[in-house]
């Protein structure tokens, strides 16, 4: 029996090809789908890691700033010959409670931040590891110096400002590394953009509080340009956050912002309201307490908003 030929090929070969080609096509499509799914999973993982790193940098800012305020203030009071504990008791403010509740929060957030920095591969581009260890050591040294009443303003400022600089550098390097390594996802980085906005909101609120408290503790000169510029950037960032988050929480935060006493409240009788005046003008304790607690309460409200918003971003990125 002879085999019929099709295009010069035996019939068996021809039939085999007719069967194999569709199967091969299905195999290619299946491989492409697997590869696409793998790429999608890799992209989701990379976005999730980056926003987690951003969250670690964001969440440490407020507790770090609250402890900085207390440390620098205590150092300044000691320089003036005043007992920090007596002054805190005299102003009858909630600051002592805020400070005590803040310490374990800062310890936890610092531990998380140190862990995240340790897991991030910066290659040879960064010296963040040693910088983090050095800053943590400086903070522990300041705490010990406060306990034995030997802390100085310069020591306290250097320790916390060093850690703040490390946090800023880490956030910048994490986002930059993501942009370099995954340029294909840059246009779709809504999650990273959301976290960056959260960071601007909390960082400017933190910086504004630091500038004000440095003025009232008498540890820095009156820099109105920096203060007004920081206030403006914060208000703009808060407005952008309100546009993106149409919920009750951001509305309440905007309301708290609008209810803050104006910058003029830093002055009393045309002079900055500083702790140095408390020794000779005890009637200013009330004004000092109101200013301090109001600013810290607002900073904590901003922190609560940015943490909750950040947790939502992280959850969505990891989904």
């Amino acid at each position: 029996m002879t085999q019929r030929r099709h295009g010069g090929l035996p019939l068996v070969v021809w039939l085999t090809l007719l069967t194999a080609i569709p199967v091969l096509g299905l195999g290619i499509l299946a491989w492409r789908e697997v590869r696409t799914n793998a790429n999608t999973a890799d992209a989701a993982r990379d976005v999730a890691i980056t926003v987690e790193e951003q969250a670690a940098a964001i969440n440490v800012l407020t507790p770090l700033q609250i402890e900085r305020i207390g440390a620098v203030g205590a150092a300044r009071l000691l320089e003036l010959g005043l007992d920090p504990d007596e002054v805190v008791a005299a102003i009858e403010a909630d600051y002592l409670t805020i400070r005590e509740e803040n310490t374990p929060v800062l310890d936890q957030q610092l531990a998380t931040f140190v862990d995240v920095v340790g897991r991030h591969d910066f290659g040879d581009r960064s010296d963040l590891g040693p910088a983090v260890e050095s800053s943590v050591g400086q903070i522990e040294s300041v705490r010990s110096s406060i306990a034995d009443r030997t802390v100085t303003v310069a020591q306290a400022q250097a320790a916390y400002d060093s850690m703040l600089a490390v946090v800023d550098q880490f956030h910048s390097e994490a986002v930059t590394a993501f942009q370099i390594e995954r340029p294909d996802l840059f246009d779709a980085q809504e999650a990273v953009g959301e976290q960056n906005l959260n960071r601007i909101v909390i960082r400017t609120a933190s910086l504004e509080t630091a500038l004000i408290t440095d003025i009232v503790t008498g540890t820095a000169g009156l820099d109105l340009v920096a203060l007004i510029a920081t206030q403006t950037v914060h208000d703009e960032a808060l407005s952008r956050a309100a546009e993106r988050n149409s919920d009750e929480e951001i509305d309440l935060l905007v309301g708290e912002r609008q209810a803050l006493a104006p910058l003029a409240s830093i002055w009393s009788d045309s002079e900055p309201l500083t702790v140095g005046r408390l020794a000779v003008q005890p009637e200013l304790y009330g004004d000092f307490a109101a200013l301090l607690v109001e600013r810290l309460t607002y900073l904590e409200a901003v922190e609560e908003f940015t943490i909750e918003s950040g947790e939502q971003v992280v959850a969505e990125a990891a989904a």
Side-chain angles (χ1 to χ4, degrees):
M1 185 167 104
T2 60
Q3 292 182 328
R4 298 174 62 186
R5 305 182 67 85
H6 292 260
L9 294 176
L11 178 60
V12 173
V13 176
W14 183 258
L15 292 175
T16 301
L17 288 175
L18 288 177
T19 305
I21 289 174
V23 172
L24 179 62
L26 290 174
I28 293 173
L29 289 175
W31 176 80
R32 285 181 176 175
E33 183 175 357
V34 169
R35 184 171 182 178
T36 299
N37 290 339
N39 289 339
T40 301
D42 288 345
R45 182 201 62 210
D46 290 344
V47 174
I49 289 173
T50 301
V51 296
E52 180 189 16
E53 290 169 344
Q54 289 179 289
I58 291 169
N59 294 349
V60 77
L61 289 173
T62 295
L64 189 64
Q65 194 61 258
I66 290 175
E67 183 160 305
R68 179 191 184 279
I69 291 168
V72 172
R76 178 58 176 161
L77 290 170
L78 289 169
E79 287 183 355
L80 295 171
L82 300 172
D83 187 299
D85 293 334
E86 291 181 1
V87 171
V88 170
I91 63 178
E92 298 180 353
D94 293 330
Y95 173 66
L96 188 59
T97 301
I98 293 174
R99 185 181 66 183
E100 290 175 348
E101 293 177 349
N102 182 72
T103 301
V105 175
L106 176 58
D107 289 343
Q108 179 182 353
Q109 296 297 353
L110 275 177
T112 300
F113 178 69
V114 170
D115 176 63
V116 170
V117 171
R119 287 189 281 114
H120 188 102
D121 181 15
F122 290 103
D124 297 328
R125 299 191 306 271
S126 173
D127 58 352
L128 270 175
V132 170
E133 293 180 6
S134 174
S135 296
V136 170
Q138 289 181 59
I139 290 175
E140 292 174 349
S141 178
V142 168
R143 288 176 171 178
S144 298
S145 297
I146 291 175
D148 59 25
R149 297 294 196 267
T150 60
V151 66
T152 65
V153 170
Q155 178 192 11
Q157 288 178 328
Y160 295 96
D161 290 350
S162 172
M163 179 58 81
L164 285 168
V166 168
V167 172
D168 286 344
Q169 182 183 350
F170 172 74
H171 183 275
S172 175
E173 291 194 14
V175 173
T176 299
F178 180 68
Q179 292 172 350
I180 292 174
E181 294 167 6
R182 295 308 303 257
D184 55 313
L185 302 177
F186 184 67
D187 292 337
Q189 291 179 17
E190 185 175 353
V192 176
E194 288 279 355
Q195 281 290 66
N196 196 47
L197 180 59
N198 284 336
R199 177 186 173 277
I200 295 173
V201 171
I202 188 63
R203 189 68 178 94
T204 51
S206 173
L207 180 57
E208 181 186 57
T209 303
L211 289 169
I212 291 174
T213 52
D214 279 355
I215 292 171
V216 299
T217 54
T219 56
L222 182 59
D223 191 345
L224 276 179
V225 174
L227 187 55
I228 293 173
T230 302
Q231 182 184 50
T232 300
V233 174
H234 176 70
D235 288 340
E236 291 177 351
L238 190 61
S239 176
R240 287 169 55 199
E243 292 174 359
R244 291 192 178 190
N245 302 273
S246 56
D247 54 28
E248 184 178 356
E249 291 182 6
I250 187 64
D251 292 339
L252 290 173
L253 185 60
V254 171
E256 287 189 43
R257 176 66 175 175
Q258 294 171 345
L260 283 176
L263 292 179
S265 62
I266 302 174
W267 284 265
S268 176
D269 301 327
S270 301
E271 294 182 32
L273 181 62
T274 62
V275 293
R277 297 177 62 189
L278 297 181
V280 294
Q281 294 178 277
E283 68 274 11
L284 295 178
Y285 273 114
D287 294 339
F288 185 86
L291 174 63
L292 180 63
V293 172
E294 180 186 55
R295 288 289 168 172
L296 288 178
T297 299
Y298 175 70
L299 184 57
E300 289 187 320
V302 175
E303 177 193 35
E304 182 178 353
F305 165 74
T306 53
I307 287 180
E308 290 181 358
S309 176
E311 288 175 347
Q312 182 177 354
V313 172
V314 172
E316 291 176 353

